[in-house]
Amino acid sequence: MSGILYVVATPIGNLGDFSPRACATLAEADVVAAEDTRRTRRLLQHFGIHTPLVSLHEHNERRRLPELIERLAQGASVALVSDAGTPLLSDPGFLLVRQARQCGVRVSPVPGPSALVAALSIAGLPTDRFAFEGFPPARPAARRRAFTALAEEPRTLVFYESSHRILESLADMAACFGAERQGLLARELTKRFEESRLDTLSGLRAWLQEEPQRVRGEFVVVVAGCTERSAEEAEQEAVDRTLEVLLRHLPVKQAAAIAAELTGEARNRLYARALELERKPH
Ligand code: SAM
């Protein structure tokens, strides 16, 4: 008779969010497969749990599979946890869960915290449909390509981001989705310095920069989906950026003519817009 693989959510900050059932499952399992055994040991110690631990992370998941599957096949119960939140959500565990299913092992969730759902639940943006995008690519060109591909996505978008890249990512989101698109920035959820703000994407970046310590910690960015209006605004912003660059080097008439060629917009409309931009204080 095969055992059970439990997929157990752990707190994303506040230990009070560790559910009684998660606690009991870890205490009663034969083994806990943990992303970082030192970190999970501290959690287990806090709750007086003495179950043995094995490590299961990005770099050893494939290697560890046969041994864990063998134990499950022999009837053991294995509890899978990650460093924080729900395993498999931008965390290891996918290979183990897939293999367990392929081998006919029962897989059962012990649901609980996840930064994705926590941020979405407080965003004040539509949640009836959403797309979880995980971490955006680290390299700027790949990140901008990824955002550009999502620019017309009508569903609410959810991203994870690290403190090292949050400012760059917000700048690229503003450039690709439109600076006026609404978004929620949530940092340090359930922790002592939890903060969240709903604003335009450019407003969120400015807010983050107001306080140097705000750039620290863990972040979720929830971005409103594209509406017809936000698509038009983003297009207008892109046209304005083209005009602004051209106006730095050329007279209004020439700038409008070249912008018309580049964007396919009517030349007289761009001429009027170029005049407006020229009059705007710099
Ligand atoms: N599996 C986890 C979950 O269910 O939330 C996410 C793991 S992923 C490796 C870690 C990322 O989740 C962080 O870089 C951050 O983007 C987000 N995150 C985790 N905890 C958070 C928190 N307390 N506040 C805000 N974001 C958090």
Side-chain angles (χ1 to χ4, degrees):
M1 213 181 78
S2 92
I4 302 185
L5 173 62
Y6 291 103
V7 180
V8 183
T10 57
I12 57 168
N14 191 323
L15 290 182
D17 294 337
F18 195 46
S19 77
R21 193 159 88 86
C23 190
T25 305
L26 296 194
E28 286 158 27
D30 293 303
V31 63
V32 174
E35 184 180 6
D36 177 346
T37 50
R38 274 183 310 180
R39 204 173 153 149
T40 300
R41 188 163 291 119
R42 283 199 296 275
L43 178 80
L44 297 194
Q45 267 165 5
H46 182 89
F47 288 94
I49 299 170
H50 305 287
T51 311
L53 286 158
V54 295
S55 85
L56 186 89
H57 49 69
E58 212 190 333
H59 305 292
N60 74 358
E61 187 170 357
R62 203 171 286 279
R63 209 165 2 104
R64 270 282 148 82
L65 279 190
E67 164 198 336
L68 286 168
I69 293 292
E70 177 60 25
R71 290 190 71 167
L72 285 161
Q74 284 172 0
S77 63
V78 175
L80 170 69
V81 298
S82 61
D83 284 352
T86 301
L88 279 84
L89 294 179
S90 298
D91 267 343
F94 166 65
L95 296 179
L96 177 61
V97 169
R98 186 176 62 174
Q99 183 84 16
R101 286 212 169 269
Q102 281 168 355
C103 296
V105 171
R106 195 176 140 206
V107 184
S108 179
V110 182
S114 175
L116 155 67
V117 175
L120 202 54
S121 71
I122 58 162
L125 293 169
T127 51
D128 45 349
R129 294 166 74 223
F130 66 89
F132 174 53
E133 287 293 322
F135 287 96
R139 284 185 305 112
R143 185 168 57 230
R144 275 178 231 134
R145 266 201 308 277
F147 289 162
T148 304
L150 289 167
E152 290 181 16
E153 171 60 60
R155 290 173 295 179
T156 297
L157 298 166
V158 187
F159 299 92
Y160 285 163
E161 193 49 289
S162 77
S163 53
H164 312 294
R165 283 190 283 271
I166 187 67
L167 283 171
E168 288 172 43
S169 258
L170 281 173
D172 287 343
M173 283 179 194
C176 300
F177 301 147
E180 294 305 307
R181 182 96 68 104
Q182 289 279 299
L184 174 101
L185 189 59
R187 69 177 282 267
E188 295 292 88
L189 288 170
T190 78
K191 301 186 203 176
R192 182 151 166 228
F193 298 109
E194 172 184 310
E195 280 183 298
S196 61
R197 182 177 175 88
L198 181 65
D199 200 340
T200 60
L201 291 174
S202 57
L204 289 178
R205 191 164 187 274
W207 177 72
L208 209 53
Q209 282 174 311
E210 267 169 27
E211 302 271 351
Q213 72 271 22
R214 242 184 220 146
V215 185
R216 301 203 193 114
E218 299 193 281
F219 295 89
V220 183
V221 187
V222 184
V223 180
C226 178
T227 58
E228 229 168 81
R229 192 161 149 251
S230 64
E232 274 166 25
E233 279 169 3
E235 235 166 74
Q236 181 61 50
E237 278 170 28
V239 169
D240 281 359
R241 271 200 305 279
T242 307
L243 274 175
E244 275 160 3
V245 172
L246 292 169
L247 284 169
R248 267 189 245 139
H249 306 283
L250 297 168
V252 172
K253 202 168 158 192
Q254 254 178 300
I258 295 175
E261 257 186 69
L262 289 172
T263 63
E265 297 266 331
R267 188 190 290 210
N268 53 358
R269 203 183 77 70
L270 291 186
Y271 182 74
R273 183 65 186 153
L275 286 176
E276 273 172 27
L277 291 174
E278 278 275 280
R279 276 188 233 115
K280 253 184 30 189
H282 294 288

